[in-house]
Amino acid sequence: MYNAFEENEISINANGGTELAKRSLAALIDPELQQHFQVVSSRTRTLDETKIRVFYAHDLPEDPESAKFRDPKFHQLFHKFVFISDWQYNRYQLVHGIPYDTKSAVLETGIHIDPTCNGTPFPDLHIKSYEPQTRIVYTSTPQRGLHLLVEAFDRIAEKHPNAHLDVFSSFKIYGWEEADKPFEPLFDRIRNHPQMTYHGVVPNNELQLHLKKSHIFAYPSIWPETSCRAMIEAAYNQLICIHPNFGALAETSGKMTRIYQGDYANQHKHVEILTEILDNTLKEFDKGNQYFYGSGDIYMELVRQRYYFENRYDINKIKNQWETMLRQLLQQYPSIESRRFPKEQFVYRT
């Protein structure tokens, strides 16, 4: 089977959100269509001038790998630029002068939707059985704000003895085990707390099972996300999602989640804000079984959230958008000659 979505020396050992999104698309898009394309995921290595070349951007424009965009000639080597959020696309326009024209497109990331729920206007929240503990999860790499969450949870843990924080976080998901070393004291703090559990990295299917038993996704991000698959998966799995309005998070959530104004410069203030929100949210859960038995504000909030995320991020919907775009490009560049690098243009080499 032909796969146009290439791997590089970094992505080949990684299983993060970027890689999951790319591989899901590669498995679903018509392989006969893919054979005409080279889809470069953020990091350009060797370009094939016999293919229609699509740049699939996941990184920030400030990333060192994105520095090539400063040269307008580099833009000419691709037939299409695909971004995963409008926020990210706007940033590339601002930083690198990517024009606002039809050479660019915004196609969001997608997740696999449970076929037993797809298309159901009011998904059944009763599948989330009652748990004696209110489980909070963090499911991203540690540099994105884990230390803020640990500090905030530690402040309110005694006040909420039935609350528990599960942390799924490690650079091992990218194959960068050495990058975990600076965070080991933080991981130890989690391991040594009776109301916290450090899980490291687990396979995605195992993580999905854990999400189905959890209640709150807490993500005090200080990293300017271009999108956020972790939050998409949590929201789809019916978790209350708490996060700041930083980067593309507000766009990704559609403001169907619990968004707060964070503080990037003053992280002590950020912790205070997060502590208050977590405390108030846990108090809602402490009120009783309104969440589990189909009544109350939390239940209706999650009905609306689940329906929104299920319809917006269905991988089959995203796949169809990709195939439509690729077929349009194939009509525009039907021959190998029409796809070659522009004349009197430098030929890109690594």
Side-chain angles (χ1 to χ4, degrees):
M1 180 177 292
Y2 191 86
N3 183 358
F5 293 77
E6 65 176 30
E7 302 280 2
N8 56 57
E9 76 284 357
I10 295 177
S11 70
I12 193 67
N13 295 316
N15 290 290
T18 297
E19 292 73 33
L20 292 175
K22 175 182 66 177
R23 291 165 190 160
S24 293
L25 286 169
L28 292 174
I29 293 175
D30 182 355
E32 291 187 11
L33 182 60
Q34 289 193 57
Q35 68 180 328
H36 300 283
F37 292 87
Q38 179 186 12
V39 181
V40 174
S41 297
S42 291
R43 292 171 169 80
T44 311
R45 296 299 179 256
T46 302
L47 296 179
D48 184 349
E49 67 173 349
T50 69
K51 305 294 184 182
I52 302 171
R53 297 174 295 281
V54 178
F55 189 93
Y56 188 20
H58 290 84
D59 291 339
L60 290 163
E62 295 85 358
D63 190 282
E65 287 278 354
S66 301
K68 305 178 185 73
F69 279 88
R70 296 172 189 164
D71 189 340
K73 293 179 180 179
F74 179 73
H75 302 184
Q76 302 303 315
L77 300 178
F78 290 91
H79 303 96
K80 198 77 171 183
F81 295 98
V82 175
F83 301 90
I84 57 174
S85 67
D86 292 296
W87 181 87
Q88 181 200 32
Y89 176 32
N90 293 336
R91 290 291 301 158
Y92 270 81
Q93 292 178 58
L94 178 66
V95 175
H96 293 306
I98 291 288
Y100 179 71
D101 60 22
T102 57
K103 192 173 180 177
S104 295
V106 175
L107 299 177
E108 296 177 316
T109 191
I111 60 171
H112 288 279
I113 302 299
D114 183 349
T116 63
C117 297
N118 193 22
T120 304
F122 297 98
D124 185 6
L125 295 182
H126 295 81
I127 60 173
K128 195 181 288 284
S129 60
Y130 179 77
E131 295 284 339
Q133 293 178 314
T134 301
R135 305 198 78 91
I136 304 169
V137 295
Y138 178 97
T139 61
S140 189
T141 46
Q143 88 284 12
R144 300 171 189 252
L146 176 58
H147 63 293
L148 303 181
L149 175 57
V150 170
E151 178 62 33
F153 183 81
D154 192 41
R155 294 183 182 189
I156 60 174
E158 288 190 17
K159 188 176 179 181
H160 298 278
N162 291 329
H164 195 89
L165 173 61
D166 292 288
V167 176
F168 298 84
S169 183
S170 172
F171 282 104
K172 292 176 183 176
I173 198 168
Y174 297 120
W176 306 341
E177 188 168 349
E178 291 296 311
D180 277 347
K181 288 185 177 179
F183 298 95
E184 280 301 327
L186 179 61
F187 297 157
D188 283 339
R189 182 178 178 183
I190 298 166
R191 293 183 184 106
N192 294 328
H193 195 290
Q195 290 175 245
M196 302 187 205
T197 302
Y198 178 69
H199 299 268
V201 172
V202 300
N204 189 259
N205 59 348
E206 183 178 329
L207 177 61
Q208 298 308 307
L209 292 175
H210 191 92
L211 289 175
K212 291 182 186 303
K213 298 186 294 182
S214 300
H215 310 99
I216 299 169
F217 172 78
Y219 191 45
S221 177
I222 54 173
W223 184 270
E225 299 277 11
T226 55
S227 180
C228 188
R229 185 186 180 92
M231 180 172 64
I232 294 170
E233 291 181 340
Y236 171 71
N237 279 293
Q238 307 163 5
L239 279 74
I240 293 289
C241 296
I242 299 171
H243 60 87
N245 57 347
F246 194 49
L249 292 180
E251 178 188 341
T252 302
S253 71
K255 297 192 175 181
M256 299 295 290
T257 52
R258 299 191 178 188
I259 306 174
Y260 63 90
Q261 174 63 51
D263 196 318
Y264 184 83
N266 186 340
Q267 295 190 20
H268 293 291
K269 181 64 174 177
H270 196 145
V271 169
E272 291 176 2
I273 296 167
L274 177 62
T275 300
E276 181 178 5
I277 294 171
L278 277 177
D279 184 30
N280 290 335
T281 303
L282 288 168
K283 286 177 182 177
E284 290 184 64
F285 280 89
D286 290 343
K287 287 180 181 178
N289 58 16
Q290 60 165 346
Y291 170 59
F292 304 101
Y293 295 103
S295 64
D297 293 339
I298 292 180
Y299 176 84
M300 293 310 302
E301 178 180 349
L302 291 175
V303 166
R304 292 188 292 267
Q305 174 185 287
R306 167 65 177 263
Y307 185 46
Y308 178 85
F309 277 78
E310 177 178 296
N311 281 273
R312 180 175 174 182
Y313 293 109
D314 185 346
I315 188 66
N316 290 298
K317 173 184 174 181
I318 306 300
K319 182 267 292 187
N320 291 338
Q321 293 172 346
W322 267 88
E323 287 191 342
T324 297
M325 180 192 71
L326 295 179
R327 290 194 173 97
Q328 290 172 346
L329 286 170
L330 185 56
Q331 290 180 346
Q332 190 175 355
Y333 303 100
S335 66
I336 290 177
E337 187 59 36
S338 67
R339 306 167 189 173
R340 295 193 184 278
F341 298 128
K343 293 182 180 179
E344 299 180 1
Q345 192 72 271
F346 75 94
V347 177
Y348 180 78
R349 295 186 178 87
T350 54

